[in-house]
Amino acid sequence: MYIPEHFAEHRPEQLHRIIRDNPLGILVTEGESGMDADHIPFELNTGQGTYGLLTAHVARANPVWQRCTGGTPVMVIFRGAEGYITPNWYASKHETHRQVPTWNYEVVHVHGVMRVMSEEKLLRRTLALLTRHQESKEIKPWKMGDAPREYLDEMVSRVVGIEIEMQCVECKRKLNQNKSHADRLSVIAHLRERGHVELSSIMLANLEQPDQGVAPWTLS
């Protein structure tokens, strides 16, 4: 991924936020028939390994788990807030007219190796964690124990657990960092007026805390 330095994000807490807030990742694999992509919700565990561990499950009928069994190199893409930016939103445009359209976005690329979970206990734990996190905002969260045991056993038997050991993480946050302070504030205001609260809030937070530190996350 092409990442100009002013768009590079190195703070682990920001990378974790993007992954956790946008858990539906794009799992990119390569096999004999070429490149393939699967859209899968992932659970992030930052306490395992040097860079963390991603866990998920796929349908047993999905051939991806048979193609990638023993430490296969893969990439997972997580997309965060994004939106189109018109030149009309820049304050300087109305003075110089030297602006063009762009697209602001956050994205994380995780490179690692994928393995299939061999233990059913580990698979059930992964399913329970993912469910717990996604149900946490519900008034009455659903839990696996709410389903009849025989039905749950049948559903669990239809999926396969996978885990991805994270070996390299890249993050690009293109949030108008190459623009003036006035232009960035103007874009934030226009986004908020149009209901793009997530992107405008993230741009405002990034504007107020510009220090991104050193890059501990990318292996050379």
Side-chain angles (χ1 to χ4, degrees):
M1 176 168 56
Y2 170 60
I3 312 179
E5 186 53 37
H6 47 272
F7 295 147
E9 177 59 76
H10 305 305
R11 292 169 291 185
E13 64 270 20
Q14 291 296 332
L15 279 68
H16 296 163
R17 174 189 61 79
I18 294 172
I19 293 175
R20 288 196 168 113
D21 290 352
N22 307 274
L24 185 65
I26 303 172
L27 172 63
V28 181
T29 58
E30 185 172 13
E32 295 181 358
S33 57
M35 304 289 289
D36 197 7
D38 289 272
H39 301 260
I40 303 169
F42 283 90
E43 182 73 18
L44 171 64
N45 185 337
T46 59
Q48 286 192 247
T50 304
Y51 297 95
L53 185 74
L54 293 174
T55 56
H57 63 281
V58 298
R60 189 169 290 275
N62 188 334
V64 67
W65 69 273
Q66 295 174 315
R67 293 199 315 266
C68 308
T69 55
T72 304
V74 298
M75 178 172 70
V76 185
I77 301 171
F78 295 94
R79 293 183 58 190
E82 51 85 21
Y84 173 75
I85 308 299
T86 172
N88 294 325
W89 291 350
Y90 297 117
S92 63
K93 181 267 181 188
H94 304 284
E95 300 173 1
T96 67
H97 299 281
R98 297 175 64 85
Q99 296 290 354
V100 293
T102 192
W103 206 284
N104 283 359
Y105 59 89
E106 298 180 301
V107 66
V108 173
H109 286 192
V110 175
H111 300 264
V113 292
M114 175 176 147
R115 298 183 177 86
V116 175
M117 293 181 188
S118 57
E119 298 181 13
E120 181 181 336
K121 183 178 180 180
L122 185 58
L123 169 59
R124 287 180 178 267
R125 180 176 180 274
T126 298
L127 295 172
L129 283 174
L130 182 62
T131 301
R132 187 182 308 159
H133 286 169
Q134 297 307 310
E135 289 282 332
S136 61
K137 296 179 181 179
E138 298 297 320
I139 297 176
K140 186 178 180 181
W142 181 90
K143 56 185 182 297
M144 293 174 65
D146 291 344
R149 182 168 181 175
E150 64 277 6
Y151 170 77
L152 188 63
D153 290 345
E154 178 186 354
M155 298 305 294
V156 171
S157 71
R158 294 182 182 181
V159 300
V160 175
I162 61 173
E163 60 181 19
I164 297 172
E165 177 189 348
M166 299 163 64
Q167 297 183 330
C168 172
V169 185
E170 299 175 301
C171 182
K172 183 175 183 179
R173 302 178 72 211
K174 185 176 177 295
L175 304 173
N176 285 141
Q177 296 95 321
N178 57 334
K179 302 296 183 181
S180 70
H181 189 85
D183 279 344
R184 294 168 75 178
L185 283 176
S186 181
V187 168
I188 290 169
H190 280 90
L191 284 168
R192 191 168 293 275
E193 286 176 4
R194 285 156 178 77
H196 300 294
V197 177
E198 181 183 13
L199 181 57
S200 64
S201 298
I202 287 171
M203 287 183 62
L204 181 60
N206 191 68
L207 183 65
E208 295 172 343
Q209 299 177 343
D211 183 16
Q212 298 180 16
V214 296
W217 273 70
T218 303
L219 295 179
S220 58

